Amino acid sequence: MIQASWIAVLLATTICAYQLGSGVLFLLLPICAFGLLANRMLRMVVDMSREKAERDGRHFEELSHYISEQERTRHDLEISEEKFRNAFDHASVGMALVSMSGNIIKVNAAFAELLGVDECELLGTDFTSLMPADAVDPHRRELTKLFYGAVRSTQIEQCLYRKDRETVWALWNASRNPGDLNDEAHYIFQFQDITDKKRAEQQIVHDALHDGLTGLPNRILFVDRVQVAFRRAQRGFNINFAVCYLDFDRFKLVNDSYGHEAGDKLLVEIAERIKSVLRTNDTVARFGGDEFALLIEEMADADDVVTTLERIRQEIARPFEADAKPVYFTASIGVAPWSLDYERPEQLLRDADTALYHAKRSGRNRYEFFSQELRETTVNYLQSDTDLREAVYSNQFRAFYQPIVNIATGVLAGFEALIRWDHPRRGLVSPSEFIPIAEETGLIFPIGEWMLRESCCQLSDWRHAHPNADDLWVSVNVSAKQFKDVDLVGLVTDVLAKSGLPAHLLKLELTETAMADNIDHLVDVMLRLKDIGVRLSIDDFGTGYSGLSHLHRLPLDSLKIDRAFVSRINTGESDEIIRTIVTLARSLDLEVIAEGVENDEQLEHLLLLDCQLGQGYYYSRPVDAASAETFVAKRSTERSVPALAHRHQLETASTREIF
Ligand code: C2E
Ligand code: CA
Ligand code: CA
């Protein structure tokens, strides 16, 4: 276009110059040039202003757009703020805004309700004061990290105290809001009430750690507490603590006699009574059945445990009640006091158990402290257990026989068969040492059967060899377990058939303590034994449990007065007991045998007390079968002599003779 104007001007100038002459040309040329320049400038100005206008227009558009955007944003912000406020105020979960310095700026109704306060009561308060004093450390640390900006958000499960001091459990979601131009940085907390969930969880945990019946800690929790006590003792605190195992003597009887419901009620009361004498930092746990455990801590000295155990024994000694009748209990307790020798907590539990075992073995109703000596006995026990199995396998048992004599005439009436263990290293081992182990391990069944067969066959042999001794009988000890757990009637029938011994020449001795267990079953077995003609005797009479109360129910033939009474003969009390037993036996038409007769004086008293049969070192110790046979042989060749003559003879003879 510029070129075109220039060409037009040049053309017009050339035409003018041609028509008007070159002088005009020189005049016209600058004018034209100026005109053209002015025109161009004008155009440029116009272009520029047009561009500016366009630019301004664009700017304006942008500005209006920006402004409308801003307005929209502000509007949106207002809406979202409004929404947030609404959401905050009406949220079903508790919410709180907390300043950077930790003060509560705002809370919603749900949170105030959660804590049982008015919203305004919370404003301005220090947020950490909501945290209970006993909040667990990791939770405190989490919040501290948030407050120091180490994390932007955190989540914890923590309980809060309500105004009424009830606790509520909440899931805390906390985050840091960095803020903007209008808003300062702050924290937003959300609290979700999880009390129900937490209670359910706590219930599950509680159930896993407590005994359902008594509510006491169970074995798991007890062991955990022992571990804690143990670690403290190792660090030099709580050095006088002890673990005790407690087992009720013959609790089973209660269940058998009154039923399990009554038994359960008694266990609950037992738990209460034990708890009532313990201090709050001690623990009593129930391991099941009638087994309890105690953890006695922070004792001033080792004797403190004795004081506590005595208190427990007193509590237990007071009568309980079942079926409106008084019930009495005793307990055996094993104690393992902590000492530096212990390396692991389980060792204390093991030793308390060992001590309990010894308390039971040494007569029950007592406590036994664990000692090195007990440990050795236990080691021996374990060795005996192994050896005893070997003894059964390779038949290392021998039957010994102790004569039982008619006190008045001195005539041999029969024998008590007493077992011996011919140990390959130790020689003859007493039954008192291995029968309890055999009973516990179940080895009593093969051992008892062997003894029964052996003694019946032996007497049968003597009867054939010595025709005049065919009224001699043998008394065999039978463990309560045999009465309870095996077909004793079937076994005895078989033994009698195979040995050919008439049933009335076999007498079975049962200790009085065996009556403590299921008496109905016992009576049933005894009646069936009587049916086949076997005779029955109660051993160690006068020492056991409630012998008198059951006596009339038992189909017995004789009573054996315990050695303890015979050895104390001539002390008024013992004589009285023997007289009572003899009178009782007579009224029930039972024979009486005095055990452990050792001297003339005892013999004389027994004679005066009208006791028929005697057994003891006075006549003979238990002897092997060959020696016993000499008594049998003598009996079949000699005649009986009057008692006084016999006594006179005894006084002068160097050995006591049996006829
Ligand atoms: P027990 O049935 O009371 O047997 C009597 C015990 O007293 C025997 O001990 C006997 O040797 C001992 N004795 C007898 N007369 C006297 C005496 O004058 N003075 C003293 N101090 N002691 C006397 P032993 O043979 O050591 O038997 C101990 C216990 O072992 C027996 O007591 C019995 O309960 C048990 N026993 C023995 N043999 C058997 C058996 O074959 N089966 C079962 N289950 N137990 C048995
Ligand atoms: Ca006996
Ligand atoms: Ca006895």
Side-chain angles (χ1 to χ4, degrees), residues 339-357:
S339 78
L340 275 170
D341 297 336
Y342 285 108
E343 287 167 358
R344 292 189 309 280
E346 318 79 88
Q347 294 171 331
L348 271 159
L349 304 174
R350 178 201 63 196
D351 289 351
D353 197 32
T354 306
L356 171 65
Y357 170 75

Side-chain angles (χ1 to χ4, degrees), residues 454-466:
E454 178 65 22
S455 27
C456 288
C457 289
Q458 184 61 76
L459 188 64
S460 197
D461 287 354
W462 288 335
R463 278 163 51 84
H464 287 120
H466 310 279

Side-chain angles (χ1 to χ4, degrees), residues 401-405 412 414-416 614-616 619-623 631 658:
Y401 300 89
Q402 188 175 31
I404 296 174
V405 178
L412 178 69
F415 291 97
E416 175 171 10
Q615 168 188 358
Y619 296 111
S620 166
R621 286 180 178 260
V623 291
F631 294 118
I658 303 168

Side-chain angles (χ1 to χ4, degrees), residues 402 416 419-420 431 451 477 539-540 563 595-596 598 617 622:
Q402 188 175 31
E416 175 171 10
I419 197 166
R420 300 287 179 265
M451 193 59 181
N477 293 286
D539 203 357
D540 305 338
R563 196 167 73 224
E595 201 175 48
E598 290 185 343
Y617 295 171

Side-chain angles (χ1 to χ4, degrees), residues 263-325:
D264 284 356
K265 269 193 196 150
L266 287 171
L267 285 169
V268 172
E269 196 180 338
I270 285 172
E272 286 305 319
R273 287 202 197 175
I274 299 176
K275 248 185 352 194
S276 74
V277 294
L278 293 182
R279 297 159 309 164
T280 44
N281 54 346
D282 297 330
T283 303
V284 49
R286 179 172 173 243
F287 282 7
D290 55 348
E291 283 176 45
F292 291 82
L294 311 172
L295 173 63
I296 302 175
E297 298 193 69
E298 310 274 3
M299 299 179 293
D301 56 49
D303 288 345
D304 256 17
V305 73
V306 174
T307 319
T308 308
L309 294 181
E310 280 302 338
R311 281 208 304 265
I312 289 177
R313 267 158 55 103
Q314 278 166 20
E315 271 303 310
I316 293 171
R318 284 196 295 116
F320 290 79
E321 204 181 272
D323 212 6
K325 295 189 193 83

